Structures are given as C-alpha cells and as structure tokens.
Amino acid sequence: MNSLNTEAFTLFGQHILWSDMTGNILGLVGLALGWRRSLWTWPVQFASGLILFAAFYGHLTGSAGKQAVVMAVAGYGFWQWNRGRGTGGDGHIAPRFATWRERGAMVAAAAVGTVAVALLFTAYPDLSWDPWPDAYIFVGTIVAMYAQAKGMVEFWFAWLLVDLVGVPLNFANGYAFSGFVYVIYGALVLWGMRDWWLRSRRSPQPALEGAPA
C-alpha cells in the first residue's frame, strides 16, 4: 500500500499521488453506481475508502476517519440494500424522502457530532491539522452514508455539503486530485439527486428500510 502513496505525475503544478487518484476514481465509480441504484456501489465504496484511508492516515485524521466510516457503512449499506432489493418495481429499491423527524435528527446529530469531534481534535492537536473542517468532514460523512443506506434522497444534499469543505481542505494539504475531480463529483451528485428525486415521487411506499440497489 505504501507504493500507492508515491507521486504519479504533476498537473498544473500540483503533485498527484497514486493513492489519491486511485481512491477518488473508485469513489466516482461508486457514486455513479449509487446513482444507478446498483448493489455494487457498496463494494466499490469500500475499496475506495481503503485506499484513501492509507493515503490520509498520519496526515489528516478526520479525513482518514471518514474513510474508516466509509468502509464500515459500506458493509451496513450492502446489507440494507440487499435486504430491500426489488421494492422499486424494477429489481432495485425505491428511493424516498426522509421524514421531517429524520431530517431534524440528522441535522442535530451532525451539529452536535461536529462540535464534539472538533473539541476532541483541538484537545489533542496531534490528531488533526485542521480540527473543525476535519470534524465536519468526519461527521458529515457518517450522516450522508447513513442516509444513503436508508435510501433517502437527502443523502445527495449531504454529500454536497461535505465536499464543499473537503475539496478545499484536500487542495490545501496536497491531495490535489481530490480537488480536480470535484466538478465530476458535482455533476454526478446533481444527476443522481434528480434521478432519485423523480423516482421517489413515483414510489408507491411511504418509507424505505433499505436503499437503492
């Protein structure tokens, strides 16, 4: 895995690491599979998380922690989606909007969690170079992937909010490829958001226990 942390090439004066590039390409593939509601989104996201964990470990604790969360939730999401396959009428699970109670719970969890993790990083400065943005990324990823595993359309919004902080942070700390792929991520998120939004309006069930497959 150490060989992946070497430089692949230079782009616009930015040093591109093999790990940063490979992990983010897999992340793009996983996001595209999530848009298509394919069960394969979860194994691909797990692989992306594993590679990016190796890239960030020892430098950006929150971002590394984010990848650990990605791997853990990928297992949970795979189980959820596999259990609920077919509820969308086309062999996939039907997306849904979260209830107002669920939205409130996720917003509250994100706010309280970010403050708690940031205070932890601040108290132990060796854990993070950027305590507040790192904490925001870490907690925001948990919320986003939980919403994805539950099949909530809101997960796309959550990913946008995480990336708005994560991309500049990656640029500032030398992980340029993460920044360069943001435009592609943004397009996939917007397309996926629209697709899930439309499908949720056609969905016959009011709630969803799994998420797209």
Side-chain angles (χ1 to χ4, degrees), residues 60 65 77 113 121 147 162-163 207 209:
L60 295 173
F121 286 167
V162 169
D163 286 343
E209 277 300 313

Side-chain angles (χ1 to χ4, degrees), residues 13-146:
Q14 296 283 343
H15 300 287
I16 307 300
L17 303 178
W18 279 110
S19 54
D20 189 24
M21 180 175 66
T22 305
N24 275 286
I25 288 174
L26 285 174
L28 284 172
V29 173
L31 188 63
L33 289 169
W35 168 29
R36 300 299 300 169
R37 299 176 300 134
S38 168
L39 192 65
W40 280 98
T41 184
W42 298 109
V44 173
Q45 287 190 59
F46 183 91
S48 172
L50 181 62
I51 293 173
L52 290 175
F53 178 85
F56 293 131
Y57 185 75
H59 301 285
L60 295 173
T61 305
S63 294
K66 167 186 172 179
Q67 303 309 324
V69 171
V70 166
M71 290 186 285
V73 180
Y76 171 71
F78 183 87
W79 174 73
Q80 279 278 62
W81 285 28
N82 191 53
R83 185 179 64 163
R85 294 182 72 180
T87 60
D90 57 359
H92 298 103
I93 296 177
R96 68 175 175 94
F97 278 97
T99 65
W100 283 108
R101 182 176 181 179
E102 288 172 326
R103 290 172 185 166
M106 288 189 290
V107 169
V112 173
T114 297
V115 171
V117 174
L119 291 176
L120 174 65
F121 286 167
T122 301
Y124 298 93
D126 289 342
L127 291 179
S128 175
W129 291 350
D130 302 278
W132 285 94
D134 244 358
Y136 174 89
I137 291 169
F138 179 80
V139 176
T141 298
I142 296 176
V143 173
M145 293 200 69
Y146 171 81

